[in-house]
Amino acid sequence: MPATATATAIAAAKRPPAAERVYAHVKKAVLERRYEGGTLLTEGELAEAVGVSRTPVREALLKLEVEGLLRLYPKKGALVLPVSAQEIADVVETRLLVETHSVRKVVPAPAGLLERLEELLDQQRVQAAAGDFAAAAGTDRRFHAEIVRGGGNEILSRLYDQLRDRQLRMGVAVLHSHPDRIAKTLAEHEEILTALKSGDAEAAVAVVTRHVGWFQNLARGEVR
């Protein structure tokens, strides 16, 4: 077998299965709001976009429907579900329970955690300046996840990780609809970090409560 043919075969073998490629493509686009709530996706369009047949597209869409991102309509396609007021309220309530508990537990914060938070804050500043809301929302989630992991409770960490997709989608939606929020987010992250550096657990809890609780304002209606 010629070298080029061998290389092509190896590359093909390393590619994820077709359904996984469709799943990853659609999920990323939904979370980053390139497919916004209310968008109707058709199997044919997705098959063409990813370069696969319709069979793996159906498999991927079924999985995304189970995850609550889409609703399937036979012979029509899949509707991207908007972020609901109830979903925002539920996520905020869970985040407050987990994060206020975790931020108390990390005090006194180890040097390694403080360094990681500093790096993530710097990274988010760069992303915000570039207007990359999807990346900034992802870094925002990692900033808070580091604190939760720092609390040392693996069960709470796994619970928090289950909120990841919802947090990312909400975060991108918020930054698009409230572009001034990114400056406040960076300032509040700085406040959290300052409180942790000084060993003031209650100050850190107060900032986290204000920071996460702001999202309750969005629970009055759909995120646009």
Side-chain angles (χ1 to χ4, degrees):
M1 181 181 293
T4 54
T6 302
T8 301
I10 293 174
K14 289 182 178 180
R15 294 184 73 190
E20 288 185 19
R21 298 203 305 275
V22 177
Y23 171 83
H25 167 81
V26 176
K27 186 169 186 174
K28 189 172 190 294
V30 170
L31 295 181
E32 294 182 355
R33 288 184 85 239
R34 285 182 283 112
Y35 293 155
E36 296 194 31
T39 301
L40 185 66
L41 307 174
T42 68
E43 291 180 3
E45 290 170 343
L46 294 175
E48 184 177 351
V50 184
V52 298
S53 67
R54 293 193 179 197
T55 299
V57 171
R58 294 190 195 102
E59 183 181 339
L61 294 181
L62 283 169
K63 186 176 180 181
L64 289 164
E65 182 178 45
V66 171
E67 294 183 8
L69 294 177
L70 307 174
R71 180 174 295 142
L72 301 186
Y73 291 93
K75 299 181 181 179
K76 292 184 178 180
L79 183 71
V80 179
L81 295 176
V83 179
S84 69
Q86 187 59 53
E87 181 178 3
I88 293 171
D90 291 347
V91 169
V92 169
E93 182 178 14
T94 307
R95 285 190 64 184
L96 284 172
L97 288 170
V98 174
E99 292 189 44
T100 54
H101 172 78
S102 299
V103 80
R104 278 194 179 96
K105 285 194 70 178
V106 298
V107 176
L113 173 61
L114 296 176
E115 289 173 6
R116 288 193 297 276
L117 294 177
E118 192 81 65
E119 290 170 1
L120 287 169
L121 183 54
D122 288 342
Q123 185 177 343
Q124 194 176 21
R125 287 193 185 102
V126 172
Q127 292 162 341
D132 191 343
F133 292 152
T139 304
D140 180 288
R141 198 211 73 85
R142 289 195 296 276
F143 182 93
H144 290 274
E146 283 290 343
I147 295 173
V148 173
R149 277 194 292 272
N153 187 319
E154 292 185 10
I155 294 176
L156 280 182
S157 293
R158 287 198 294 272
L159 170 63
Y160 194 78
D161 284 343
Q162 290 174 16
L163 298 175
R164 178 183 59 191
D165 291 344
R166 287 182 168 85
Q167 287 190 62
L168 286 176
R169 192 176 178 211
M170 284 170 52
V172 175
V174 166
L175 294 181
H176 276 280
S177 57
H178 301 271
D180 61 321
R181 181 60 195 172
I182 187 65
K184 295 176 182 176
T185 294
L186 292 170
E188 288 167 352
H189 281 186
E190 181 69 50
E191 287 184 62
I192 293 169
L193 185 54
T194 298
L196 290 177
K197 286 178 178 178
S198 65
D200 191 338
E202 293 311 310
V205 168
V207 182
V208 167
T209 300
R210 170 163 42 93
H211 177 65
V212 177
W214 180 85
F215 284 84
Q216 288 284 19
N217 297 331
L218 303 178
R220 297 171 185 167
E222 302 273 330
V223 173
R224 300 296 181 187

